[in-house]
Amino acid sequence: MSQTETLSLIQEIESLVSDQLQVVSYKWLSRSYLISSNEAKRLLHEFVEKHEGELEVVYALSGWLKSTIPSYHIRLVTGQKLAEAQQEFDGSCSVQVYSVQTSIPKDPAVLWNAEFIQAEELFKQPASVDNCLRDNRFCGISNSSVQRNVDGQTAVSTTPQIKTVAGLAPTKSNIIPQPPKNTVHNSIAKVDLKPQNMVKDVKSESNGTGNTGVHVNINKPTAEKEKPLPLPTGKKKIQADKSGSATGNSLASFWARPSAKPKPCSVPAENSNMITNPAEATENAQACPHEAEEGDSGDDDNQGVTLRRSSNRKRRVVFDFSDEDEDEVVVNLASPDVPSKQSSQDSRQNDMEFSEKATLNFDVPIENKSMVKEERATEKKVFQPPREDLSVINKCTNTGKSSTDKLQSSTPEICVNKDSVKKATPGSPKRRKVMKTRIDERGREVTEVVWEGEETEAKKADTVTAKKADTVPAKKADNTASTNAVNSAQATKKPAATSNTTGKGGSKKAANSKDPKQGNILSFFKRV
Amino acid sequence: MLELRLVQGSLLKKVLEAIKELVNDANFDCSSTGFSLQAMDSSHVALVALLLRSEGFEHYRCDRNISMGMNLNNMAKMLKCAGNDDIITIKADDGSDTVTFMFESPTQDKISDFEMKLMDIDSEHLGIPEAEYHAIVRMPSSEFARICKDLSSIGDTVVISVTKEGVKFSTKGDIGTANIVCRQNTTVDKPEEATVVEMNEPVSLQFALRYMNSFTKATPLSSTVTISLSNELPVVVEYKIAEMGYVRFYLAPKIEEDEEETKPQV
């Protein structure tokens, strides 16, 4: 990096730190300015030298501890405690600047908030975008046996899909994911998840998908179930345009904020990629789900931790779907024939609870039900209406998106299921505003605020299901045509993040209704 | 522990007068670098960002970053009790749910303490990226206030267009139309009376005058106002607070009719 560049970057850092009071960490710096992490550390170091004493520095120490049991330790310490902390290390330890900020935040989460959001943004980008996180280009550590899938879906969605492929009909070829992905996914997922802003929904997602992977085999019909979610088609187009701003992304794209890189619409390209290697996919298919699940469950913990830190000012409870779910998954795998029973159960539930649930009732397995209960219990505590809903829905589309197409795994349905459960939360009003998110034909995520009525919705859903059953192919063609393109377009995590950004908007939108022409500031500025 | 002593207490009074109309409740964020606020109006059309840097205070102590939720109307009520020449000190203890405003008369013979309850405000921070604006207009703030006031008696929307010639404010109402053009004018005695137009690209945007008018409540804070415009970005109306910081108002433009449908449904 040339001298001038360095200088200008240092100035940037200065303004970020002193004017915007941002915590600038080397990770954030590296991703924002597309420099290698080492370069970023060096810059920060230089910056710190220049501004000695004017700001607070957090150092990352790593080395062997002096304790009896040798353990390798990485520790973040503030400038004042640096020397003290160094004493605890055996021999020499590496000292690198982790971040600079004007003051040491009370809540350590603030330290990685910025980079966290940034990572989230990066992962939210359409899967085809080869950003620095996906290809790991700035990381000093790489594993040659890991293949990165740039166009890919994440582990979560991959699993069900593959399954379907394995278990089901031949039509699949167009959606078939590339086999190598799976492995990659697991590894990537691990990496991803940590920085991701996975609000609890994501978590449930991963569990949910674990489950779904199982169901997929069972029921083809479910594939279409997800569709009721989408809004009237007329609106689709429009929504498409909105989607960006609705999620706050488009604004970001205007401004190319480092944390929110513009997202090129390169969806179609990917599509073609997607189609590759059907044969291989099937081969691998059977093996994959387990792997993927493992990956998921492993991540749960991570997520749990990060989730809490995800939102700036709010703390939220994180669902812990613990291991039972996974167990259940395993069970399911073994005996995938339960559907009929479930469906009846489910439909019963449907009656009580409204919404798209009806649409899914096909094969929500028993375990699922229990999970649902669990969720309900927790739900009461956590209930945060719009955000939650939104995110859940997001989740659906999200998973739906990745697996969509003809056979759409049952992932969406599970999500929807949960979703509906949420809505059914005791004490929820009969009609309420719900954020619906789906993918339009151009591969963009569309979020819409809809009034959801209890009875009407249930009915609708029922009829839809019925209809669907009849006209499956036709409908499919309709609805999925659009989703096709999108298919694997975006990384699974995207919605979660989106939900964060959009979450609140729904409820407040009304205020704006006075003047339809008046723009909304939220479409320009992103929530941090 | 937080203790901010502002010799020019009237400044804080003016700041509150400037923003209280737009925002009811907001979090004041204090860090070691300064005292800041960011809040949207209730309809999420406008956003106000305030910064008072620590250097502007006679004494500034902020041990920890702290965010204090205040009802701005109540705060303004209390600040009204301060004389214009009073020294205002803002104090808050860690973990306390109140904030204290202390007013000292310039002669030190009267000291008043007002304690106000804080509130828990659930507000989210928006990231406002730095942007290159297509056009930046600097003009006397009183002039801008006058224009907004005048135009709002004719219509409710102002079109601000910047061309090489200058900046044009126009509106249309039931009774007719109005156009006000301000030409670039740098040949004045006092620099604060100058009108400076920097333009990279012509810009024309529509805004609700209602908001513009409430922005002009900040006029007492600064003799000049800077209006930065870019197509497809919110306008920024900035009042600099001498040597301390700024109050910036962001206002989302109105969208042309045919694009109405694309309005984000956030």
Side-chain angles (χ1 to χ4, degrees):
Chain A
M1 184 176 285
S2 75
Q3 198 60 31
T4 47
E5 269 176 300
T6 309
L7 273 180
S8 71
L9 268 178
I10 285 190
Q11 272 167 4
E12 293 255 10
I13 298 173
E14 184 171 358
S15 77
L16 282 169
V17 173
S18 58
D19 294 345
Q20 301 182 23
L21 308 182
Q22 196 185 323
V23 174
V24 177
S25 69
Y26 75 87
K27 283 191 217 173
W28 186 87
L29 199 64
S30 143
R31 295 176 199 146
S32 306
Y33 296 97
L34 301 180
I35 52 183
S36 79
S37 53
N38 285 334
E39 181 68 19
K41 285 175 186 168
R42 190 187 62 74
L43 266 174
L44 281 184
H45 186 73
E46 220 167 282
F47 179 72
V48 168
E49 279 178 344
K50 256 193 198 168
H51 298 264
E52 195 82 63
E54 294 167 34
L55 37 78
E56 297 286 347
V57 186
V58 172
Y59 293 94
L61 296 186
S62 58
W64 294 93
L65 279 188
K66 272 179 184 166
S67 60
T68 44
I69 313 135
S71 64
Y72 195 80
H73 212 70
I74 300 175
R75 179 180 292 181
L76 296 186
V77 295
T78 59
Q80 296 96 325
K81 293 185 185 153
L82 180 60
E84 188 187 323
Q86 268 176 296
Q87 299 296 317
E88 292 179 41
F89 284 89
D90 188 20
S92 59
C93 59
S94 84
V95 180
Q96 286 163 328
V97 179
Y98 181 82
S99 66
V100 294
Q101 54 271 306
T102 50
S103 60
I104 298 294
K106 215 192 276 182
D107 181 357
V110 176
L111 277 185
W112 49 84
N113 218 340
E115 64 193 51
F116 186 83
I117 288 164
Q118 181 188 37
E120 189 175 63
E121 294 290 344
L122 288 172
F123 283 115
K124 258 160 61 181
Q125 297 184 352
S128 56
V129 183
D130 188 8
N131 64 40
C132 63
L133 273 188
R134 290 221 176 84
D135 65 6
N136 197 29
R137 79 179 74 129
F138 298 129
C139 182
I141 305 165
S142 61
N143 182 343
S144 56
S145 59
V146 171
Q147 289 176 275
R148 308 225 153 232
N149 75 323
V150 171
D151 51 73
Q153 309 144 336
T154 48
V156 192
S157 47
T158 322
T159 325
Q161 244 183 4
I162 292 190
K163 262 251 150 178
T164 350
V165 176
L168 276 177
T171 27
K172 289 69 204 192
S173 43
N174 37 354
I175 12 141
I176 287 166
Q178 290 161 309
K181 250 179 242 161
N182 291 316
T183 37
V184 178
H185 272 317
N186 288 338
S187 53
I188 285 187
K190 284 240 160 100
V191 182
D192 299 355
L193 293 178
K194 202 165 65 179
Q196 289 289 347
N197 192 359
M198 337 210 72
V199 194
K200 72 159 213 227
D201 14 297
V202 175
K203 196 174 177 193
S204 44
E205 184 187 340
S206 56
N207 280 323
T209 27
N211 264 341
T212 46
V214 181
H215 314 316
V216 178
N217 284 342
I218 319 169
N219 61 343
K220 203 167 175 185
T222 30
E224 293 83 50
K225 295 327 161 205
E226 190 227 15
K227 285 160 205 165
L229 257 177
L231 332 149
T233 20
K235 278 204 167 178
K236 267 186 201 166
K237 262 263 167 69
I238 300 156
Q239 291 300 326
D241 292 328
K242 285 177 200 169
S243 63
S245 38
T247 54
N249 295 332
S250 71
L251 174 55
S253 62
F254 289 136
W255 278 336
R257 171 127 172 122
S259 60
K261 302 260 160 65
K263 306 183 180 175
C265 309
S266 41
V267 179
E270 251 166 86
N271 205 16
S272 54
N273 289 343
M274 288 299 307
I275 307 182
T276 52
N277 322 352
E280 260 175 271
T282 4
E283 279 170 33
N284 289 345
Q286 295 291 13
C288 299
H290 282 291
E291 250 176 78
E293 274 157 31
E294 271 164 32
D296 288 346
S297 57
D299 295 329
D300 278 354
D301 296 340
N302 264 347
Q303 291 169 16
V305 178
T306 38
L307 291 192
R308 268 158 238 211
R309 302 190 167 128
S310 56
S311 64
N312 246 351
R313 291 182 182 239
K314 290 194 184 161
R315 300 285 145 133
R316 42 177 55 181
V317 179
V318 177
F319 284 104
D320 195 0
F321 283 114
S322 64
D323 309 299
E324 320 137 57
D325 289 340
E326 282 140 38
D327 293 341
E328 283 157 13
V329 174
V330 176
V331 174
N332 273 342
L333 278 173
S335 56
D337 284 21
V338 244
S340 55
K341 228 195 286 172
Q342 264 92 36
S343 66
S344 61
Q345 269 172 347
D346 242 24
S347 48
R348 240 185 289 143
Q349 270 182 352
N350 278 337
D351 296 342
M352 303 182 313
E353 305 154 4
F354 57 96
S355 89
E356 309 95 317
K357 196 157 184 203
T359 56
L360 344 161
N361 56 8
F362 280 81
D363 72 329
V364 186
I366 304 173
E367 292 83 4
N368 205 5
K369 214 186 164 189
S370 66
M371 193 168 85
V372 167
K373 274 190 193 140
E374 186 185 326
E375 195 165 1
R376 252 190 230 156
T378 2
E379 192 62 35
K380 282 179 213 162
K381 284 178 257 158
V382 199
F383 197 57
Q384 283 177 336
R387 256 186 207 214
E388 212 106 329
D389 272 327
L390 170 62
S391 45
V392 180
I393 297 167
N394 272 337
K395 194 200 321 178
C396 310
T397 35
N398 173 25
T399 23
K401 167 197 344 172
S402 39
S403 45
T404 32
D405 273 12
K406 315 287 144 105
L407 33 148
Q408 263 170 338
S409 66
S410 52
T411 327
E413 137 199 343
I414 285 211
C415 308
V416 177
N417 192 4
K418 283 182 186 169
D419 179 22
S420 53
V421 173
K422 285 198 176 144
K423 283 179 215 137
T425 311
S428 62
K430 289 221 165 167
R431 270 166 63 80
R432 46 187 300 206
K433 247 183 207 174
V434 175
M435 308 282 295
K436 296 211 164 187
T437 306
R438 36 173 293 277
I439 300 302
D440 74 338
E441 58 263 64
R442 283 152 81 184
R444 286 186 279 192
E445 205 174 272
V446 176
T447 306
E448 189 175 77
V449 180
V450 204
W451 280 104
E452 201 121 86
E454 201 165 53
E455 309 90 39
T456 48
E457 194 66 21
K459 266 181 219 154
K460 218 203 289 170
D462 278 336
T463 48
V464 174
T465 348
K467 228 196 272 170
K468 286 254 159 106
D470 298 342
T471 57
V472 168
K475 277 251 164 169
K476 230 195 270 173
D478 260 355
N479 282 332
T480 41
S482 54
T483 31
N484 245 342
V486 187
N487 208 346
S488 66
Q490 285 134 2
T492 358
K493 305 300 142 59
K494 184 170 179 182
T498 326
S499 65
N500 266 344
T501 51
T502 22
K504 282 241 149 152
S507 52
K508 288 168 187 161
K509 169 198 137 206
N512 212 6
S513 56
K514 214 163 128 196
D515 183 354
K517 281 168 21 183
Q518 177 63 60
N520 190 319
I521 199 94
L522 287 175
S523 55
F524 298 97
F525 297 128
K526 237 180 97 49
R527 288 194 168 97
V528 184
Chain B
M1 181 68 183
L2 171 85
E3 204 172 289
L4 321 180
R5 184 177 158 93
L6 184 62
V7 175
Q8 204 188 343
S10 59
L11 206 91
L12 196 60
K13 295 172 62 139
K14 288 179 194 162
V15 166
L16 258 287
E17 292 305 309
I19 60 180
K20 70 167 191 195
E21 184 177 310
L22 201 64
V23 181
N24 293 325
D25 305 320
N27 280 319
F28 282 89
D29 298 313
C30 307
S31 74
S32 52
T33 51
F35 188 67
S36 64
L37 170 148
Q38 192 201 75
M40 275 181 287
D41 79 302
S42 59
S43 55
H44 289 190
V45 170
L47 179 142
V48 53
L50 161 76
L51 175 68
L52 299 176
R53 280 186 280 268
S54 55
E55 302 92 88
F57 292 85
E58 188 200 45
H59 168 72
Y60 191 98
R61 175 178 171 191
C62 176
D63 300 345
R64 294 185 160 278
N65 290 353
I66 169 173
S67 179
M68 298 184 291
M70 302 192 203
N71 177 300
L72 298 186
N73 270 310
N74 295 346
M75 185 176 173
K77 275 183 201 163
M78 293 205 165
L79 292 180
K80 271 189 187 148
C81 304
N84 273 336
D85 304 325
D86 283 3
I87 297 167
I88 298 183
T89 307
I90 303 172
K91 289 192 282 195
D93 286 325
D94 284 337
S96 155
D97 57 353
T98 58
V99 60
T100 304
F101 302 107
M102 191 174 80
F103 312 136
E104 299 163 58
S105 71
T107 51
Q108 297 290 321
D109 47 13
K110 180 176 142 198
I111 295 174
S112 350
D113 264 314
F114 288 76
E115 190 176 84
M116 189 176 79
K117 291 177 190 152
L118 294 178
M119 46 200 298
D120 236 352
I121 298 170
D122 176 35
S123 74
E124 50 269 276
H125 229 66
L126 300 192
I128 304 173
E130 292 294 320
E132 288 281 312
Y133 285 90
H134 293 162
I136 299 175
V137 178
R138 201 185 80 219
M139 62 192 296
S141 59
S142 53
E143 188 61 48
F144 178 64
R146 176 69 197 265
I147 291 170
C148 291
K149 187 170 135 255
D150 290 350
L151 291 188
S152 60
S153 60
I154 314 287
D156 54 10
T157 300
V158 60
V159 179
I160 304 182
S161 330
V162 183
T163 57
K164 286 196 295 288
E165 282 73 42
V167 54
K168 183 173 86 177
F169 302 87
S170 41
T171 191
K172 194 165 67 181
D174 295 339
I175 59 167
T177 62
N179 291 290
I180 299 175
V181 178
C182 297
R183 290 186 192 284
Q184 169 133 330
N185 168 21
T186 50
T187 58
V188 286
D189 298 340
K190 299 179 198 158
E192 61 266 26
E193 284 169 9
T195 299
V196 183
V197 178
E198 290 171 37
M199 187 203 75
N200 300 323
E201 264 178 61
V203 184
S204 180
L205 288 167
Q206 281 188 50
F207 301 99
L209 271 168
R210 185 162 70 89
Y211 290 98
M212 284 294 180
N213 264 321
S214 64
F215 298 167
T216 59
K217 297 282 185 284
T219 303
L221 280 170
S222 172
S223 56
T224 60
V225 60
T226 309
I227 306 162
S228 311
L229 300 132
S230 246
N231 286 325
E232 296 160 356
L233 283 187
V235 63
V236 186
V237 179
E238 172 173 342
Y239 294 86
K240 287 220 166 19
I241 303 174
E243 285 148 29
M244 277 204 84
Y246 54 78
V247 179
R248 288 180 187 154
F249 298 98
Y250 297 82
L251 176 60
K254 286 198 171 192
I255 296 152
E256 303 295 329
E257 237 117 324
D258 48 331
E259 290 169 23
E260 187 195 341
E261 283 297 282
T262 63
K263 183 175 67 87
Q265 281 201 349
V266 180

